[in-house]
Amino acid sequence: MVDVYLNSKFVGTVDSALSFVDNVKDVRRKGDFSESVNVYYDEKADEVHVLSDEGRAQRPLIVIRDGKMLLTEKHLRQLTDGEITWFDLVRQGIIEYLDTAEEENALVAFSEEELTSDHTHMEITPGSICGLATSLVPFGNYNQSSRLIIGSKNQKQSLGFYAANYHLRMDMDANILHYPQMPIVKTKIHDVTGYEDHPSGQNMIVAIMCYDGYNMEDGVILNQSSVQRGLARSTYFRPVSAEELRYSGGLIDQVGVPDKEVKGYRTEQEYRFLEADGIVYPEAKVGEGDVVIGRTSPPRFLSSVEEYNLSATTRRESSLALRHGEQGVADFVVITENEEGNKLVQVRLREERIPEIGDKFTSRHGQKGVTGILIPQEDLPFSASGVAPDLIFTPHGISSRMTISHLLELVGGKVGALGGRFVDGTLFEAEKEVDLRRELLELGFREDGLEVFYDGRTGKKMLSLIYVGNMYYLRLRHMVANKIQSRARGPIQLLTRQPTEGKAKEGGLRLGEMEKDTFIAHGASLLLNERFGSDKVVVPICLKSGLLGYYDARKRAPVSPIYGDDTEISYVEISYGFKLLLDELLSLGVYPKLLLEDKF
Amino acid sequence: MKKDHEELYAQYEQEFPLALLQEIQSKVPADISQEKLQRVLAGVHDVYVKSKVSPGECVGLVSAESIGEPGTQMTLNTFHFAGVSEMNVTTGLPRIIEIFDARKDIKTPMMEIYFKEPHNKKVEFVRSFAAGLKETVFSDIVEEYTLNIFDQVLRVSFNASLLEDFDLEVKEIVKQIKLKSKGFELSHTDKDISFLHKGKPEELKSLYLLKEKLRNVMIKGLKGIRQVLPVKRGDEFVVLTSGTNLKDVLQMKEVDGARTLSNDIHEIHAVLGIEGARQAIINEVYKVVEAQGLNIDIRHIMLVADIMCASGNVKGITRYGVVSEKASVLARASFETPIKHIINAALEGEVDYLTSVVENVMINQPVPLGTGLPGLVTKMK
C-alpha cells in the first residue's frame, strides 16, 4: 500500500507504486492527460506524487524505450518537411515534459551513443543546460561558467535593431545600431530565435596586442577610420512628453507658445524652435535649455477671487526644455490623447552617437572594455596583406579570465570571413578547433591565426606575430555622452548651502571622508581648507554671549540675539554646515558658546 | 678604549639614544682613528636626524591609512585546518578587530609554552607535562552517578580507562574533593566513591546538590586550559594550548618564561604589565599581517599599540576606549554616539580648544598640521 498525493493532498492508496506510476505516464503519453501532469515516486518516503499545479519548471526530453529513441529519422524528415510540428511529437508521447520531481525518477542520456536499456530519456541537445541568452555565446563550453554568465549579461545591454517599427515607437532610452550584422560565428540558437532579424553587433577585425598602452586595464583601441566609415555607429532616441493636466475648478494646462506675461517666462531665444502650436518643428536642432514643448499651467494656489479671471499674467510657465548637457534633433512628433482624455504631446529626440573615447564595447565572452583611444588607420599596425584591425584588444585580459571561447571565436571568425561562410559555435556541438585550423591553413594563412604585423607609424616589422581574426563585437548602451558631467560653479542645496549631488542636478563630486584624510596625510592643510570652503559664510558673532548674531539691514548694524546693540560683534568666517550644527545644538537645548580670540 | 674616543662619544650622548651609541661602539673597530670616528658619528648623526619625523607630520592618520588600506584586501574568512591536528586560531580581519577593540573575551585564547634547556628536547617529558596541564573536572572521568534513595547514598563510579589516561587514582580524587563535600562521609574502592550523610539523614535534595557541585570540581591541570597539543618547533618541543593561564604556567619551574606566550592581551597586561601588553599587541597584529602576505611597516602598528597602552591600561580603539579620551567634544561626537557626547559636554560646560584635526575640519579652519601648523611670530611695536 502506497499513499498517493495529488498536488500534495492525500487522495488515496495504491497497491503497487511502480505500476501506478507507469500507468499514469502511459495515459499522459497517449494524450489523455495534459502534458503538464507529472508523476513521481518517492522511494524514501514511499509516496507517489501526482502534480498538476502551477509553478513547476518543466523541460522537454526525448522518451527512450528499451534503449531506443522513440524519435525516428522519419519524424525528423516529417518535421523538416513541415508535415508535423513539435506539438504532434508531444501529443504522440515521443517528447515529454518533465518537472523537477519526475526528473528524480528519470535517467537522462546526453547522446545517442551512451544509451543503455536503463535510460528513460535523452536530451534533445546537450546545450539545453544553458538558457537562451547563454546559448548565444559561441564555444561557450570552453569557458569558466562565471565568464559565460557575464557574457550573456553583456549581450542584454548591447545596441542593435530591437524592433522593426522603432521609428513609430516612443521608447525611453532607445538605441538603434546603424549597420547591424549577423555574427559570422553563430550558434544554432541564433538561427532558431531568428537572430538575423534583430542582430545586435558587428563583425570586426580584432587584433590581440598592446599598442602604446591605450588598451591597458580592459581598454580597447578603435580604428578611427573604421568609425568614420560607420563602424558601431548608433542613434539614440529619447522622448519628451507633455500632458495637458486638468485641475479642480475646470482649469487646464495649455500647450502653446507661452505669453511674455506668463510667470517664469524664459527668454525668447529659448522658445525659438516652437511652431505656433507650441511644439518644436521636426528636424530642429535643439540644444541645452531649448524648449521642446511650450506649456503653461494655471496658478498653483487660488487665493483671491481676482485670480479666477485666468488672465495670462497669473498663469505659470511649465514648458519642457532640454536639461543641462542635452542636445538632439526633434525626430518625430505625436499629438494624441491619454487614458484620461487629456491632450498628450510627445516629441522624440534623436541623436547620432559616433563611438568616442569612453564608450563601452564587448565581445560575447564577458570581455568588456572601454575605448581608450581612436587611432586613424594610417597609424595603426597592419598585417602583411595590408589589413588594419578595427579594434585592438589587450592580451592581458585573457590570461586571468581564461576565456578560451574568445580566442576560438577569433579563429572561427577568420575562417568564416575568408571562406565566405558562417561558422557553427553551438554549445558542446561546435565545429572542432582542428578543423578550423586546417581550413585556415588551406585558405593560405597560418593555422594558429598569427600574422606578421607592421607598425603603422614607423613601418617597422613588429617583433612578435600578432593574433588577429574576426570577432563579433557589441556596442553596449553605456556611453559617455549620457554620463559625462563636470562643474566648477553651480547650484547649491537650500539647507546646507553645499553643492548639489548627481548629474541631473548639475552636482559636484564630493570630496569624502577618506579623500579628506589623504589631504591631511600630506599635510596640505590650507589646500584642504580651500576645498571645504564650498559653503563658507561670514557671520557676526556676539562676543558677550558667544552666539551667532545677525545683520539688521534697517539699522545697518549687526545685532546680538541676547544683548542687541549692547555688545561687541566680530565677523568670523565659518562653514555654513557649522552654523547649522550650532543651530541644531540650540534646538537640543545646548548653549554653544563661541569663545573668540585673535588669530594672529 | 682611547681617551679621546670617550670624549667624542660623550659629545654625542645627548644627541642619540644610548642604544644607538652602544651599537656604534660595538661595531666600530677599536683602533679606529680619531678622525674616522668623528666622521662616523657625524654621518650617523645626519641619518638619525633625517629619519626623525618632521614636526607637523600626520603620523596617526598615515598609520591609519597604512593599516586600513591593506585591511580591505584581507580575506574575511579564517582558514580552518579541518582534519589537520593543528588548533583553529582566529586570524585575518576578525583577529585584528579583536585586538584593536581590546576585547576581553577573545575567540581563541592560546598559549605557546616553551621549556628550559634539558626538558625541551625530551618528547616524553613534554607529552606528560602537556597532559598534566589540561583542565580536568570531576565529571570528565565519571562513568555513572547512582543515587540510592533507600540508603541515602550517592555512588560515583569512574571510567577505568579514563583514569589510566589521566594517570589518576581514586585516592587522589578523594583528596581533591574532600573539601567540597563537607558533611558527608566518604568511602571508596579503586573504582568508585560513595557519599553518605554524616549524622542523621537529611533530604534527598542535598545529595543531588552535592552531585551538581562535584561535577565542576577541578581534579587536575590548570584552570582555563581546554586543550593541549605538543608540537615540534625546530629541534625542540613546545606545547600549544587552547585556553590560557599564563600566571600559573609561568610559575612552573620547567617552563621557559622568557619565551612562553599567550595571545590574550589583557592577561599579559595583568601578569606581565603594560609594556608586555604593548609588545603583545604589536606581535599579534604583525603575525596576522604577515600571515596574510601584506606589507605594513611595523612602526604603524607600534604607534597604535602605544596609543592603546598610553594610559597604563589597555584601551581599545572604540568609543569606550581611546576615543573617549580625546580632548575635543566635537572630535568625540564625530566618531560615534554624537548626542551622548554633546549632552554630557553641555552638562559639564566643557570647552573645546580646537587643537586637533576633526574639529577644525568641522568649522572649516585650517587643520593644525603640515602647512597649517606654523604660525607667524612678529614683534608688536
Side-chain angles (χ1 to χ4, degrees), chain A residues 325-346:
Chain A
E326 281 186 342
Q327 55 173 19
V329 177
D331 185 52
F332 180 53
V333 177
V334 172
I335 303 172
T336 179
E337 256 179 20
N338 68 2
E339 299 89 359
E340 286 116 55
N342 296 339
K343 185 180 178 185
L344 182 72
V345 178
Q346 288 188 303

Side-chain angles (χ1 to χ4, degrees), chain A residues 423-490:
Chain A
V423 172
D424 185 15
T426 312
L427 202 67
F428 294 112
E429 298 170 342
E431 289 181 36
K432 297 245 167 353
E433 187 199 340
V434 271
D435 298 339
L436 292 173
R437 276 171 175 257
R438 199 185 320 113
E439 201 175 333
L440 194 57
L441 198 64
E442 281 161 13
L443 287 162
F445 284 80
R446 274 177 68 112
E447 60 155 6
D448 54 9
L450 299 181
E451 278 181 48
V452 173
F453 259 63
Y454 298 89
D455 190 316
R457 292 163 301 191
T458 60
K460 273 187 189 158
K461 186 176 149 189
M462 295 202 137
L463 285 177
S464 58
L465 297 170
I466 303 298
Y467 192 54
V468 64
N470 291 65
M471 285 192 76
Y472 195 59
Y473 253 80
L474 316 165
R475 186 176 185 198
L476 300 185
R477 48 190 304 178
H478 304 284
M479 287 171 279
V480 263
N482 292 328
K483 300 186 174 181
I484 194 166
Q485 200 245 327
S486 64
R487 94 172 226 172
R489 278 156 279 132

Side-chain angles (χ1 to χ4, degrees), chain A residues 218 308 400 415 436:
Chain A
D218 283 335
Y308 267 104
S400 56
V415 170
L436 292 173

Side-chain angles (χ1 to χ4, degrees), chain B residues 85-362:
Chain B
S85 69
E86 268 282 340
M87 263 180 269
N88 178 34
V89 195
T90 325
T91 51
L93 206 57
R95 176 65 182 147
I96 295 236
I97 293 170
E98 200 172 75
I99 299 166
F100 284 162
D101 282 357
R103 299 248 173 92
K104 282 262 160 62
D105 294 305
I106 58 176
K107 250 191 203 157
T108 50
M110 253 190 67
M111 270 203 299
E112 257 172 59
I113 302 168
Y114 287 82
F115 299 95
K116 283 181 186 150
E117 195 40 75
H119 307 291
N120 61 359
K121 301 277 161 62
K122 290 181 221 153
V123 200
E124 285 312 310
F125 167 77
V126 173
R127 195 169 287 162
S128 67
F129 186 90
L133 281 179
K134 190 176 170 186
E135 177 181 345
T136 312
V137 290
F138 190 72
S139 61
D140 284 348
I141 45 173
V142 170
E143 193 166 66
E144 197 180 14
Y145 299 94
T146 350
L147 199 60
N148 190 326
I149 305 171
F150 299 109
D151 302 343
Q152 299 265 330
V153 172
L154 173 71
R155 217 185 69 214
V156 181
S157 52
F158 298 103
N159 186 326
S161 67
L162 276 176
L163 282 182
E164 206 172 305
D165 278 2
F166 286 110
D167 197 16
L168 281 168
E169 271 183 52
V170 178
K171 251 192 285 176
E172 292 173 51
I173 301 172
V174 170
K175 250 186 250 168
Q176 298 264 13
I177 59 173
K178 217 161 204 170
L179 273 174
K180 297 280 178 185
S181 51
K182 270 181 190 156
F184 293 91
E185 215 166 278
L186 274 73
S187 61
H188 66 88
T189 69
D190 57 347
K191 258 163 97 185
D192 52 31
I193 308 179
S194 302
F195 299 85
L196 190 77
H197 272 297
K198 272 181 193 167
K200 60 168 184 183
E202 279 172 47
E203 315 166 54
L204 205 59
K205 200 181 163 195
S206 65
L207 269 177
Y208 184 76
L209 285 177
L210 174 72
K211 179 192 136 196
E212 290 300 307
K213 202 163 120 191
L214 285 177
R215 266 175 185 277
N216 295 319
V217 172
M218 214 171 72
I219 301 296
K220 211 177 173 206
L222 297 182
K223 198 168 168 24
I225 293 182
R226 291 190 298 269
Q227 223 184 84
V228 286
L229 183 73
V231 291
K232 197 167 184 188
R233 283 275 161 87
D235 60 344
E236 65 178 331
F237 294 94
V238 299
V239 174
L240 303 181
T241 70
S242 120
T244 62
N245 191 337
L246 191 60
K247 193 173 173 189
D248 292 344
V249 168
L250 288 183
Q251 279 166 356
M252 297 176 156
K253 61 179 193 300
E254 299 93 341
V255 168
D256 186 353
R259 291 186 295 159
T260 295
L261 293 171
S262 159
N263 72 347
D264 186 336
I265 311 287
H266 285 282
E267 186 182 33
I268 291 180
H269 175 224
V271 177
L272 298 173
I274 196 69
E275 287 288 341
R278 186 193 96 105
Q279 195 57 46
I281 293 172
I282 297 169
N283 292 346
E284 286 295 317
V285 175
Y286 204 65
K287 209 159 72 187
V288 176
V289 167
E290 268 194 332
Q292 295 273 336
L294 303 175
N295 189 18
I296 301 176
D297 195 301
I298 199 161
R299 284 169 289 182
H300 296 308
I301 300 163
M302 287 162 87
L303 182 68
V304 178
D306 281 343
I307 296 285
M308 286 174 69
C309 299
S311 65
N313 273 318
V314 179
K315 293 215 154 139
I317 318 281
T318 62
R319 72 184 113 131
Y320 308 108
V322 176
V323 179
S324 70
E325 315 232 304
K326 284 197 173 192
S328 159
V329 199
L330 293 176
R332 266 179 283 138
S334 75
F335 183 67
E336 271 165 18
T337 57
I339 295 178
K340 193 183 97 189
H341 281 118
I342 284 168
I343 288 176
N344 285 339
L347 291 175
E348 291 166 26
E350 213 172 303
V351 179
D352 193 326
Y353 291 98
L354 308 174
T355 49
S356 183
V357 177
V358 197
E359 43 293 20
N360 280 296
V361 171
M362 280 172 84

Side-chain angles (χ1 to χ4, degrees), chain A residues 1 28 30 42 84 102 104 112 115 122 189 211 229 231 237 266 280-281 294 320 324 350 360 480 505 532 539 564 570:
Chain A
M1 293 284 264
R28 181 183 63 202
K30 267 184 213 141
D42 187 340
I84 55 167
E102 193 173 334
E104 295 293 323
E112 221 174 330
L115 275 181
M122 196 180 95
I189 306 297
Y211 202 61
R229 285 178 217 122
L231 183 89
F237 295 102
R266 297 159 191 259
V280 71
Y281 62 85
L320 283 140
H324 176 70
R350 149 170 62 84
K360 197 174 173 187
V480 263
K505 284 172 272 175
F532 277 162
V539 289
S570 188

Side-chain angles (χ1 to χ4, degrees), chain A residues 525-544:
Chain A
S525 159
L526 293 168
L527 177 60
L528 179 68
N529 187 231
E530 212 172 283
R531 281 270 92 181
F532 277 162
S534 63
D535 62 340
K536 71 177 174 195
V537 282
V538 177
V539 289
I541 288 172
C542 162
L543 294 185
K544 231 172 172 178

Side-chain angles (χ1 to χ4, degrees), chain A residues 272-291:
Chain A
R272 70 189 185 283
F273 294 112
L274 300 188
E275 289 192 312
D277 59 357
I279 305 168
V280 71
Y281 62 85
E283 297 305 314
K285 286 197 179 73
V286 286
E288 183 180 325
D290 290 334
V291 173

